[in-house]
Amino acid sequence: MTDLAFRSARELAIAVATKEVSSVELLDHYLARVDGLDAQVNAIVARDDDRARDAAREADRKVSQGEPLGRLHGVPVTIKDSLEVAGMRTTGGSTRWGHHVSTSDADAVARLKDAGAIVFGKSNLSTDARDWQTYNEIYGTTNNPWNPTRAPGGSSGGSAAALAAGLTGLELGGDTAGSIRVPAYFCGIYGLRPSYGIVPRHGSVSGHAPGSLAEFDMAVLGPLGRHADDLDLGIEVLAGPDRDNVPAWRLSLPGSRAQNLRDFRVAAWLDDAFCPVDRELLTIMEQMVEAVRSEGATVTECKGPVGLEETMALYRPLLMAQSGLIEPESAYSALVELAGAEGTAGGFASDITVRFRDWHALDERRHQSRCRWAEFFRDVDVLICPVSPTAAFAHDQRPDPGWSVRTLRIDGVSRPYGDMLTWVAPSALNHLPAAVAPIGTTREGLPVGIQVIAPYLHDRTAVKFVQCLAEVIGGYRRPPGF
């Protein structure tokens, strides 16, 4: 039964459908694991056992009656606590609406339920989903299952930790600045940042007040799982037009550009002087590239069509402008007053309070960047690159709104904490899908991952690549003690 908890979501759905295990038994097994193991990580911070058991009993009734079953039928799942689940508290990690109880499901949550998933809990996140660590005043700190002194990534750190520890069958998270990709990397699981706009975000309180209909520039929702197949299943279930466009729009994502590693045209961008990657991680990535090349893939070592420095010159101000939307009125007014002043604080204030005219100038440059990426992908199927310049780092909860105090250690040298933005920026800025896959561990036993970026709307190409990669180098490994 213990091994059952670590199967892919698709395998779990098959186990329920074939009556190898009932949905109620599977749910009870995960709940027991949460009771016995979650104290080590503090990943699942809210539960709804009674409603989940009712849904699991109904799932088993449908199996026994031979009724049609969804692709996630009877599979227990958890949801990042920035997404509304009817009847459950939804905090977004913020004390501003920490007592809000949702009356309806987020659209993406509804799609999981429509596919038969059993939602039994919420996973922890960073405050307002704005950090690469996971802690907040409501639920405290989430630890990395591989080493409790290390962060699990953020903001979907509870999602990734729960999956790595075998506490849930599938997870739903969000990503604007690596919030799916960094936790997947730090915890040794799979994650997918979908193409921008293909998974509805209505029902997210990540920075929004509950019930808000506003969209966030570059923000997406996507699946996390222990297996590459979970990304494929997740995008099958989640992708589609939002509620306003359902009457007329249809989404038909193209199939993968290649079906085997030998048929992939791969660009490898593993390091860059603008944001150096720790040598130990680089060695592991280089070994992965050699494994891909030995399978017959065409691998070209080259940078992306838009350099990291140019990308960050666009991405950072656009991200800061987006962040300004969630600042309380008093704080925003103070930033307006500070904008234009000399020094780091003045520059930060200018970015976060950017004028509409200036934002559109940035957006025009972003569209030019997207065109250059589209041209690049005429001759390349996927670009592989780091997610982060470092493996999971130690908890550091010093207040640091401008990222000026915290640092990263790269080959023994201190680097700015903001370097965590750099390698996740190309995908987010240019609306590109990016899958993350585990590829090894450091000498300290911390997971190392790779980011696989594909052309816009070619999510299945990124997913297929990590599926093929898992067949060659292996995939998820269970953390010791779980």
Side-chain angles (χ1 to χ4, degrees):
M1 191 71 169
T2 299
D3 288 338
L4 188 67
F6 291 92
R7 293 186 191 178
S8 73
R10 195 185 301 273
E11 291 170 333
L12 292 173
I14 292 172
V16 172
T18 59
K19 301 183 182 180
E20 177 187 347
V21 64
S22 72
S23 180
V24 169
E25 290 171 334
L26 188 56
L27 172 64
D28 285 343
H29 180 55
Y30 276 121
L31 293 176
R33 287 185 61 81
V34 173
D35 288 338
L37 297 169
D38 190 45
Q40 300 177 51
V41 288
N42 188 37
I44 297 175
V45 291
R47 282 169 45 175
D48 193 358
D49 297 14
D50 292 341
R51 252 184 291 258
R53 282 202 179 92
D54 287 343
R57 282 191 285 267
E58 175 62 13
D60 289 334
R61 185 198 64 78
K62 290 182 177 180
V63 172
S64 66
Q65 296 295 316
E67 296 183 17
L69 307 179
R71 284 167 286 191
L72 285 168
H73 188 83
V75 178
V77 307
T78 45
I79 305 293
K80 182 179 181 180
D81 191 36
S82 58
L83 295 165
E84 303 232 42
V85 175
M88 294 194 71
R89 185 181 178 194
T90 303
T91 73
S94 172
T95 56
R96 283 180 288 172
W97 32 78
H99 298 289
H100 169 70
V101 176
S102 302
T103 58
S104 60
D105 293 323
D107 287 359
V109 173
R111 289 185 178 179
L112 291 177
K113 287 184 175 181
D114 288 345
I118 309 298
V119 177
F120 72 89
K122 290 292 200 70
S123 51
N124 206 18
L125 73 162
S126 54
T127 303
D128 284 326
R130 297 174 78 179
D131 201 346
W132 300 290
Q133 303 176 68
T134 294
Y135 65 95
N136 58 65
E137 293 183 27
I138 301 171
Y139 292 124
T141 300
T142 297
N143 300 320
N144 192 310
W146 289 88
N147 184 332
T149 70
R150 303 298 179 107
S155 61
S156 308
S159 304
L163 282 161
L167 308 181
T168 185
L170 189 73
E171 256 283 355
L172 176 61
D175 188 309
T176 306
S179 286
I180 286 173
R181 290 167 287 166
V182 172
Y185 175 104
F186 280 10
C187 292
I189 63 163
Y190 290 85
L192 175 67
R193 176 196 162 88
S195 295
Y196 179 75
I198 69 170
V199 177
R201 289 190 68 254
H202 179 77
S204 171
V205 301
S206 178
H208 295 306
S212 171
L213 298 178
E215 283 290 331
F216 256 22
D217 183 29
M218 301 182 287
V220 302
L221 303 180
L224 299 96
R226 280 179 296 271
H227 301 271
D229 288 349
D230 292 332
L231 304 186
D232 185 47
L233 178 57
I235 205 65
E236 286 178 11
V237 171
L238 294 169
D242 64 27
R243 59 175 64 183
D244 292 333
N245 296 321
V246 163
W249 289 16
R250 298 293 179 270
L251 180 68
S252 180
L253 294 176
S256 175
R257 287 183 169 190
Q259 297 301 315
N260 304 284
L261 280 181
R262 65 177 177 272
D263 296 326
F264 272 99
R265 299 169 299 171
V266 181
W269 186 10
L270 303 184
D271 200 8
D272 197 289
F274 184 75
C275 184
V277 176
D278 191 272
R279 171 54 57 179
E280 185 179 10
L281 311 185
L282 184 58
T283 298
I284 294 170
M285 289 189 290
E286 288 171 342
Q287 292 169 348
M288 182 274 298
V289 168
E290 286 308 308
V292 169
R293 187 179 273 120
S294 69
E295 290 295 312
T298 301
V299 181
T300 304
E301 296 183 16
C302 65
K303 296 183 178 182
V306 184
L308 292 179
E309 185 172 7
E310 183 180 354
T311 295
M312 286 301 294
L314 281 173
Y315 178 62
R316 186 181 177 97
L318 284 170
L319 183 67
M320 293 301 102
Q322 181 235 65
S323 298
L325 292 172
I326 69 174
E327 289 291 336
E329 187 60 38
S330 60
Y332 191 81
S333 297
L335 288 167
V336 171
E337 292 294 323
L338 184 61
E342 294 185 2
T344 302
F348 175 80
S350 296
D351 283 344
I352 211 167
T353 61
V354 64
R355 297 183 303 172
F356 189 65
R357 182 176 185 272
D358 294 336
W359 186 92
H360 269 279
L362 291 167
D363 191 42
E364 170 61 25
R365 289 166 58 194
R366 187 234 308 266
H367 283 291
Q368 296 297 330
S369 174
R370 293 188 65 197
C371 289
R372 289 159 67 183
W373 275 95
E375 181 66 24
F376 173 80
F377 278 123
R378 292 181 185 274
D379 301 313
V380 170
D381 297 318
V382 295
L383 179 140
I384 55 177
C385 63
V387 178
S388 159
T390 178
F393 49 77
H395 297 293
D396 184 354
Q397 299 182 5
R398 290 175 291 175
D400 191 13
W403 300 335
S404 59
V405 176
R406 300 175 187 169
T407 58
L408 306 172
R409 296 293 289 178
I410 310 298
D411 290 329
V413 176
S414 291
R415 293 283 303 180
Y417 189 66
D419 274 8
M420 289 296 299
L421 270 179
T422 306
W423 288 102
V424 300
S427 168
L429 175 69
N430 296 287
H431 297 177
L432 303 172
V436 172
I439 60 170
T441 55
T442 67
R443 289 185 295 272
E444 293 183 288
L446 297 171
V448 178
I450 194 73
Q451 181 175 198
V452 180
I453 302 175
Y456 180 58
L457 299 178
H458 284 266
D459 299 58
R460 289 196 172 104
T461 296
V463 170
K464 188 63 178 180
F465 185 87
V466 298
Q467 287 176 310
C468 293
L469 185 63
E471 295 173 0
V472 173
I473 67 170
Y476 164 81
R477 292 170 53 198
R478 190 184 310 182
F482 292 94

